Amino acid sequence: MTDDSTNPAQRRVVGTPQIRKEGAEKVLGRAKYVDDIEFPGMWHGATVRSTIPRGRILAIHFDESVPWHEFVIVTAADIPGNNHIQMIAADQPCLADGAVNHCDEPILLIAHPDKRLLPQAVASVRIDYEELPAVLSIEESESKREIIWGADTSTPNVFKEFVLQKGNVDEAWSSAACIVEGEYSTGAQEHLYIENNGMIADYSDDGGITVWGSLQCPFYVHKSLMAVFNLPEDKVRVIQTETGGAFGGKEDYPSIIASHAALLALKARRPIKMIYDRMEDLAATTKRHPSRTRHRTAVDKDGKLLAMEIEIATDGGAYSTLSSTVLSRATLHATGPYVCPNIRIRSRAWATNTVPYGAFRGFGAPQTIFAIERHMEHIALAVGMDPVELRRRNFLHDGDTTATQQIMREPVILDQLLDRALAVSDFYAKRERYARENATNPVKCGIGIAAFYHGSGFTGSGERRLNSLAGVDVTLQGKVRVLVSSTEFGQGTNTILAQIAAEALGISYDDVEMAPSDTHLIPNSGPTVASRTSMVVGHLIQRSGRQLIQTLKEAANLSDNYTRHDFFAACELLRARDGEVKSLSRYEAPPNIYWNDDTYTGEAYPAFAWAVYVAEVAVDTITYSAEVIDFHTVQEVGTVLNPTLAAGQIEGGVAQGIGYALYEKVQLKNGHMFNNQMTNYIMPTAQDVPPIHVYFEQIPFAYGAFGAKGIGELPHDGPAPAILNAIQNATGESFSAIPLLPEDIFLRFASYGLDPENITA
Amino acid sequence: MSDCRIQLTINGQQTSVEAPPMKRLLDVLREDLDLTGTKEGCGEGECGSCSVRMNGELVNSCMVPILQAHGAHIETVESLAIDAELHPLQKAFLECGGAQCGICTPGMLMAATHLIAHNPNPSLEQIREGLAGNLCRCTGFIKIFDSVITAAAMEGSRTHAR
Ligand code: FES
Ligand code: FES
């Protein structure tokens, strides 16, 4: 049996629409999410948070109307280890100690057996502050009137800076036929997973700390708890419960809430459950980084890009958290899928006194792809060229080099994707028809396009540093188990990894299950982020499977044409010899991968997923609402492991992208989100999503599982620019900021003093 | 306020609970009756993940004080499968990919059951309308629409929907 063929004809399990592993439990309502779990003697925890964006804590008063002796109260003084959340740097306190740097910053924790008494108790803690001037925007941070972070560094208020150079930009301006400038901005975005953040913790002197909760990255939480509690590895145990959506929002935040629940558990000496309600989750947890990107581009008379100067600024919030890596991905996606000989990108992540921004599907890429794909539209207008044609002329091809000097070694089929997108959406015919009909219709329709790539896996040397370990074992009950720390939160990890294992081992999908997501039982296959699970972790499972078959052939005489029965019989022979049946593989970088972190040159990503998206919109010039009426997606993500799940990823990502563009606005006052309710933070509903058409081209990637590349983040990158390009096509109006709400459209029309009836495309 | 005794029929079974009159039906289901299939997403009547049927009407159980449910017939997601046999909607959600993270699924299934009970062959527009009160952040709704259409076409869905 071949186990690693990239030839689809030889596959049985990979590429088929297998039913989601944990699907039956979910549709039966039996899947256990963290709030569904109860322990005897369990109490409930809550958080007292800062009400000001920046200041010193002078005193904490406990209102006497509350019977405080019934409560357990934890402050920074109760932390046995380091008072910080272990992320890339260690600047974020676990609990504020003497000073606060953003609204909703945790200051103290309380627990009580009756959760209904907690809100009143939280409200009965009064904190006196000496307020300090707050920095609430990128511009205020840039002005450096207040230094709120890194006062002792050469770049105060800056979490991270990248400068990326290719060719010589300065010499290119003089030869340009045209120089086009533009500024683009994107707002914060809330993940709005339907299950809020939540965690249960318990402590015992023998076992140390155990937490159960909703999370993406068990070993991130593990590492953080070790630091906060000053405990060795084996005294911290992290168990993932069924997780009701994450999208990056449960990448870093669970380390905080797990630490909090565990601090209460340590002091109360009993299990503690902490579940945020929607208002607290919206106000206190991470969001997508707001951004501002400036472009200055030189083009020749034929529309060829001669030079690109790009300046990126992101708002990182009060602590550095993941801002540097988000900025890295933003930087590496800023030029779009285009080739240009001269490039200079300068990017910075700025500190502000707002809740730290964090990981969200796309991780910086949606921000800068929005900018470049709007900017291409402006360049097309400036040179008088069809925006589709302008893109085609500048597409990357095999053998071209990117901004980091990475040579495109794998096939790049952007032309093919574009052709297919134009054909399936009937682009030109529709554009013509809309233009004709708009002249007499108060509802203006338009069509727009976006082309983009998304790098799969960690950036640069990231995967080598992660050094992931994953594999399979065989239980006494005759089941193959997948051993990974990669988690399921809706995207299909369980299913695709089981498919890969079944394919590699030549057994059926039903013979494979997932090992429990428990740090005591699983190897560290890295975090479940960065579109790395299919490609990187899946490949480790494939290799482990192949390795196990090899061992069984050598040690247990497994024949070449083995049956399922032969396989499990051979496993038992191996178990008799070795005591276990287990096969693990460690990450090995594909050959020819070179990356220089200082100059930011080399192979930024081992592989890229590519896409062309087409949006159609209807803009009502009476109500000023913009609606997406049809959406076509064409993408190349390597091998599609499970067509149902893959299409589901694209559709879900597009819907979130539509929300990002047209609906979802995080409204801040003093850095506090004041529309922190689902009533006021609006995501697309069943009535707002258009038909979403999904098409895949498949070019197997030699170093991904059965040829797979990353898929999860890609679909969030394209919708926003495609939609605003379509709105420009519909109305003739160019908008450069998202979210674009009806009031923004109204303001634009009103500012011209125009009667909307007279506006034609 | 002191507790009151509430009689109600849950998934065909008569029960009584003692609870504060303003305790939410959602909490009574999850805490007093251990029916944790019904989920809380917002607690403000916006997301529909707590949807159940009460006397044949679709309600957000986070908005119903238990006092109001006295004497009522309540159906939750736990009522859909009969013995080991999945409801056609549950089958369709599995096959079509209508459930991803699964947290909206119980509420979505109750809203879809309600829709099909009233309209065995809903159009896409009617499905969009019927599910407008139920938010899903994972699927973009497309595979949920497919699931409902598939279930409606499955034989037996008519008789099975109670
Ligand atoms: S929890 Fe009831 S509607 Fe959201
Ligand atoms: S499947 Fe995750 S919210 Fe619907």
Side-chain angles (χ1 to χ4, degrees), chain A residues 195-217:
Chain A
E195 181 206 30
N196 291 316
N197 268 286
M199 205 64 72
I200 299 173
D202 199 8
Y203 177 84
S204 74
D205 289 333
D206 298 344
I209 283 166
T210 306
V211 298
W212 296 257
S214 184
L215 56 92
Q216 281 176 246
C217 310

Side-chain angles (χ1 to χ4, degrees), chain A residues 38 67 115 123 182 218 325 339 343 357 392 408 423 430 464 521 538 554 641 684 747-748 753:
Chain A
E38 291 286 321
K115 72 175 176 196
T325 47
V339 64
I343 296 171
Y357 293 98
R392 195 191 290 279
M408 293 284 107
K430 280 204 185 124
R464 253 172 298 180
L521 304 175
E554 285 160 17
L641 298 171
L747 276 178
R748 175 69 66 86

Side-chain angles (χ1 to χ4, degrees), chain A residues 19-20 22-24 26-29 31-33 35-36 115-116 189-196 242-245 247 278 360 488-491 644 647-649 651-653 655-656 664 677-679 681 683-692, chain B residues 20 23 27 30-31 34 36-44 46-47 49 77-78 80-81 83 86 89-91 93-97 99-106 109 125 127-129 131-132 134-143 145-146:
Chain A
I19 302 284
R20 174 179 286 281
E22 74 295 348
K26 284 175 172 172
V27 299
L28 286 163
K32 291 287 178 211
Y33 300 81
D35 199 21
D36 301 335
K115 72 175 176 196
R116 286 172 185 79
Q189 186 185 19
E190 161 58 30
H191 310 84
L192 217 74
Y193 31 67
I194 304 296
E195 181 206 30
N196 291 316
E242 198 71 63
T243 296
F247 317 113
R278 183 58 64 181
F360 191 158
E488 171 69 53
F489 37 89
Q491 36 17 332
T644 306
Q649 282 297 292
E651 292 157 0
Q656 284 180 347
E664 300 180 31
Q677 283 177 288
M678 279 189 171
T679 329
Y681 182 85
M683 65 161 266
T685 70
Q687 286 182 302
D688 301 318
V689 290
I692 301 168
Chain B
K23 187 167 182 174
D27 297 328
R30 292 177 52 82
E31 295 168 9
D34 206 22
T36 53
T38 304
K39 307 297 182 192
E40 171 165 0
C42 68
E44 48 167 323
E46 278 295 318
C47 73
S49 52
V77 68
E78 285 91 351
L80 293 181
D83 298 324
L86 294 183
L89 271 164
Q90 290 173 312
K91 280 188 209 152
F93 268 65
L94 269 184
E95 274 164 28
C96 303
Q100 288 190 17
C101 82
I103 194 81
C104 71
T105 309
L109 283 167
E125 260 337 287
I127 296 172
R128 286 175 182 276
E129 214 181 293
L131 302 182
N134 290 71
L135 297 179
C136 174
R137 189 58 155 170
C138 296
T139 61
F141 301 98
I142 307 295
K143 300 238 176 296
F145 302 154
D146 293 350

Side-chain angles (χ1 to χ4, degrees), chain A residues 693-713:
Chain A
H693 312 273
V694 181
Y695 304 90
F696 291 107
E697 298 286 346
Q698 304 193 45
I699 299 183
F701 172 58
Y703 304 97
F706 293 98
K709 301 192 280 193
I711 179 171
E713 295 173 284

